[in-house]
Amino acid sequence: MRRKMNEIDFNKLFNDSYEYIQNHSDEFYDCFYQHFIESSPKIGEKFTGVNLENQKLMLQQAISHTIGFFVTKTASPYILNIAKQHQNLGVSDEMYELFMTSLIFTLEKQYPHYTAECGLAWRIFMSPALELMKHINDV
């Protein structure tokens, strides 16, 4: 027998966890990059010689723009530039999946109120920008 699903407020789940990340950004992004870089030798190669402090700041800004893209479905010059840069760097679909998996893993480790629904909220919010990045050369 299937259980009845209650309504899920993905906006609230995302917003609450995103606020937590903003308030604990150093720990969160340190954990994220450690896991992400270790997730694949290909990822590790991409980050050889990269200033991770600078990278953490860029990711914070990128997530902010990703939220805007999710809401408006309008690709800002910033998002378009990031997408082109990632294409030029040879970032593959597999690497985007490792990025998302590492983000969810870190959220689960760091956010005290993490649930599977919270992880799904992040996938929902991040998907439009990740799809744009994967397919920017198709447009």
Side-chain angles (χ1 to χ4, degrees):
M1 186 165 133
R2 295 183 88 174
R3 71 180 180 107
K4 185 177 177 182
M5 293 291 292
N6 292 324
E7 185 175 274
I8 301 171
D9 186 344
F10 289 109
N11 283 320
K12 179 168 178 28
L13 290 166
F14 179 85
N15 290 336
D16 289 351
S17 57
Y18 182 59
E19 181 179 346
Y20 178 87
I21 290 169
Q22 288 178 305
N23 291 329
H24 299 86
S25 61
D26 283 339
E27 307 93 72
F28 184 86
Y29 290 110
D30 285 343
C31 182
F32 166 78
Y33 275 110
Q34 179 180 353
H35 183 73
F36 185 45
I37 290 168
E38 293 173 355
S39 70
S40 162
K42 291 178 184 176
I43 299 294
E45 289 172 18
K46 296 286 185 194
F47 285 93
T48 300
V50 170
N51 179 330
L52 286 180
E53 290 305 312
N54 205 26
Q55 191 67 33
K56 289 189 297 187
L57 294 172
M58 288 191 304
L59 180 54
Q60 289 177 51
Q61 187 174 16
I63 289 176
S64 175
H65 282 270
T66 297
I67 295 166
F69 183 59
F70 174 83
V71 171
T72 66
K73 303 302 184 275
T74 300
S76 68
Y78 182 88
I79 287 283
L80 293 170
N81 185 45
I82 293 286
K84 288 285 189 186
Q85 285 177 353
H86 282 77
Q87 283 293 322
N88 293 338
L89 290 169
V91 176
S92 67
D93 289 0
E94 175 191 11
M95 292 175 182
Y96 286 114
E97 189 54 39
L98 289 169
F99 168 85
M100 197 66 233
T101 300
S102 295
L103 191 64
I104 299 300
F105 173 85
T106 305
L107 194 61
E108 185 175 0
K109 289 277 189 204
Q110 297 285 318
Y111 181 49
H113 305 292
Y114 178 84
T115 62
E117 290 85 0
C118 178
L120 180 55
W122 274 82
R123 288 189 180 279
I124 290 167
F125 272 76
M126 297 294 289
S127 287
L130 293 178
E131 288 303 310
L132 174 70
M133 291 179 155
K134 290 178 192 176
H135 301 284
I136 190 66
N137 284 339
D138 298 346
V139 294

